[in-house]
Amino acid sequence: MTLSEDLKWRGLIKDKTFADIKWLDTPRTFYHGVDASADSMTIGNLAAMMTARRLLDSGWKAVLLAGGATSLVGDPGGKNEERELKPREEIQKNVQAIKGQISMLFAGKEFALVDNYDWFKDVGYLEFLREVGKHYSMTELMQRDFVTERMGEGGSGISYAEFSYSLIQGYDYWQLYKNHGVELQIGGSDQWGNMLSGVPLIRKKENAEVHALSMPLVVNKATGVKFGKSESGAVWLDPARTSPTQFYQFWINVDDADAEEYLKVFTLLPKEKIEELISRHKAAPAERIAQTALAAEVTKLVHGQDAVDFAQTITEYLVGHRPIEEADDAAMQEVRQALPGFKAQPGVPVIEALVGTGLASSNTEARRLVQNKAVYVNGEQFQKDHLEAGDFKNGRLMLRRGKAYKDSALIELV
RNA sequence: GCAGGGAUACUCAAGCGGCCAACGAGGGCUGACUGUAAAUCAGCUGGCAUUUGCCUACGGGGGUUCGAAUCCCUCUCCCUGCACCA
């Protein structure tokens, strides 16, 4: 199967500037930019990263860009109000962290990693206006969606800085074309307008034809919510923010309706394998075959095979296939690392344990959970107000909020 | 610069002196049913305490009042119109 056929089958092509998708089948050099306003990517970024990986695997050369400069200004897209400006030191730290994550994801592959701050820091304002600004038509910029949304009735306004974002991204593309021979930019469809911005610029400056390709945003089919940061619990790639076990559990918990799409978007499994998994899944949905495969694959890509084995072991404890009191010292080390933990005396109020583990964010919320019978201890619904000595087995117990195992924590006696 | 309109909780959006921790919708959390799924139905959705209490909150600051999200002053930001404009 060719690259273009594969991308099409996976539903990764939304808009493109080239007429025939076969254009993708001749390897060239592409780039993809990541926002650096946080110090870790989320699974929202992962979707585009996986597409980058597919191009890479088909012989394309990759230039990955961490947006040290663009994050200083703030991307106006997808947001209905002006962003807070962040200090440069913070952005620089973020860039370093994101570079690290990219290196992990593409370990063993050849790719270039750049930071647009490196070329923007020396660009003068006048120079920029003459070289770049001159080529942008105000009339055309004013018609951009992000501009009309922000400026019309009910809009929250837009600053000149954010308005200029598009030009900055166009300039990036131009620099990458000149210095790295980049001929394609990929990204999520929310970036389409910005990605397009460099295409005419390069045509005018270099008399060259370059392209852009956007992929649909991953959306939860049931709730319609965009994947990534906006959902209450963002799922981060940084193991310090989202432990590999929680990461694994997130994928296990995915809706049936979404599992097929996620297999296509987030894993490198070939078409035949995915189709086989889906048909097996449909035959026996309760076995969650699709989710299990998805979780294993994605966790492996992001955190490595060891993390998968580890997460699967922890899951045995979570689900109760292995009682937690039987875990040996080595296993306990791992459990402690994977789950939120809390040390307590016998007789601690359940509320205190819920808050202490982060399963509830406040005492009030913890009380609500108790009232709603949402507390489980060692897999059983728990009705008492205190964790008594008898509830602990071998000095420990598993506390859970709700019935999904992903929200579990380990409570140990002091 | 002048005039008018606006800023309400995660989002949208009511309220326009006491009955407002604030209608409604979406989102989120939870329960029942299930399969760590969906759909459906139900509850919850500022915090602390917990049996009618307290604190914080309706853009910021100040004031009027027994009492303000609601009235007045002022500042910031947004929108509309006019004026100005290389």
Side-chain angles (χ1 to χ4, degrees), chain A residues 49 212 255 348 399 410:
Chain A
M49 280 303 180
D255 303 355
V348 270
L399 185 68
L410 173 73

Side-chain angles (χ1 to χ4, degrees), chain A residues 107-144:
Chain A
K109 301 276 168 184
E110 288 272 328
F111 60 92
L113 198 48
V114 297
D115 176 355
N116 55 5
Y117 185 74
D118 291 339
W119 56 78
F120 265 110
K121 65 177 194 288
D122 298 322
V123 175
Y125 187 58
L126 292 176
E127 181 194 349
F128 187 76
L129 291 179
R130 287 176 66 92
E131 293 292 321
V132 181
K134 192 71 179 158
H135 296 287
Y136 282 83
S137 148
M138 207 58 196
T139 320
E140 185 254 318
L141 282 172
M142 294 294 286
Q143 286 164 0
R144 292 277 178 86

Side-chain angles (χ1 to χ4, degrees), chain A residues 217-249:
Chain A
L217 290 182
V218 178
V219 165
N220 183 308
K221 282 198 176 50
T223 60
V225 176
K226 190 173 141 185
F227 224 43
K229 278 189 258 190
S230 50
E231 276 191 89
S232 64
V235 179
W236 302 91
L237 302 196
D238 179 357
R241 286 189 184 236
T242 302
S243 82
T245 300
Q246 289 166 321
F247 186 85
Y248 178 86
Q249 281 292 324

Side-chain angles (χ1 to χ4, degrees), chain A residues 256-296:
Chain A
D256 287 359
D258 290 319
E260 179 171 357
E261 182 189 350
Y262 294 172
L263 278 169
K264 289 177 181 172
V265 174
F266 293 103
T267 74
L268 296 172
L269 296 175
K271 184 180 180 198
E272 303 73 45
K273 181 69 184 166
I274 290 178
E275 281 172 345
E276 183 217 321
L277 284 167
I278 293 301
S279 72
R280 277 171 54 207
H281 182 267
K282 283 188 175 147
E287 286 178 38
R288 307 180 78 79
I289 290 163
Q291 284 92 336
T292 312
L294 177 68

Side-chain angles (χ1 to χ4, degrees), chain A residues 157-168:
Chain A
I158 183 166
S159 68
Y160 186 72
E162 286 201 12
F163 178 78
S164 311
Y165 189 88
S166 211
L167 306 215
I168 295 182

Side-chain angles (χ1 to χ4, degrees), chain A residues 96-111:
Chain A
Q96 284 312 311
I98 284 170
K99 279 185 168 180
Q101 290 186 336
I102 293 174
S103 306
M104 292 272 282
L105 266 181
F106 294 151
K109 301 276 168 184
E110 288 272 328
F111 60 92

Side-chain angles (χ1 to χ4, degrees), chain A residues 158-201:
Chain A
I158 183 166
S159 68
Y160 186 72
E162 286 201 12
F163 178 78
S164 311
Y165 189 88
S166 211
L167 306 215
I168 295 182
Q169 201 159 329
Y171 185 78
D172 278 343
Y173 201 165
W174 180 32
Q175 291 302 306
L176 291 171
Y177 170 80
K178 284 198 296 190
N179 300 325
H180 293 266
V182 170
E183 290 179 76
L184 173 71
Q185 178 177 189
I186 66 169
S189 63
D190 55 339
Q191 288 295 315
W192 181 239
N194 287 333
M195 288 195 283
L196 239 35
S197 156
V199 173
L201 179 69

Side-chain angles (χ1 to χ4, degrees), chain A residues 273-331:
Chain A
K273 181 69 184 166
I274 290 178
E275 281 172 345
E276 183 217 321
L277 284 167
I278 293 301
S279 72
R280 277 171 54 207
H281 182 267
K282 283 188 175 147
E287 286 178 38
R288 307 180 78 79
I289 290 163
Q291 284 92 336
T292 312
L294 177 68
E297 283 299 314
V298 183
T299 308
K300 185 172 90 184
L301 279 164
V302 176
H303 296 296
Q305 182 61 45
D306 287 352
V308 177
D309 298 340
F310 176 34
Q312 284 170 341
T313 308
I314 301 294
T315 298
E316 303 264 281
Y317 290 115
L318 287 180
V319 199
H321 288 169
R322 286 199 222 177
I324 188 67
E325 69 259 31
E326 289 172 16
D328 59 26
D329 285 350

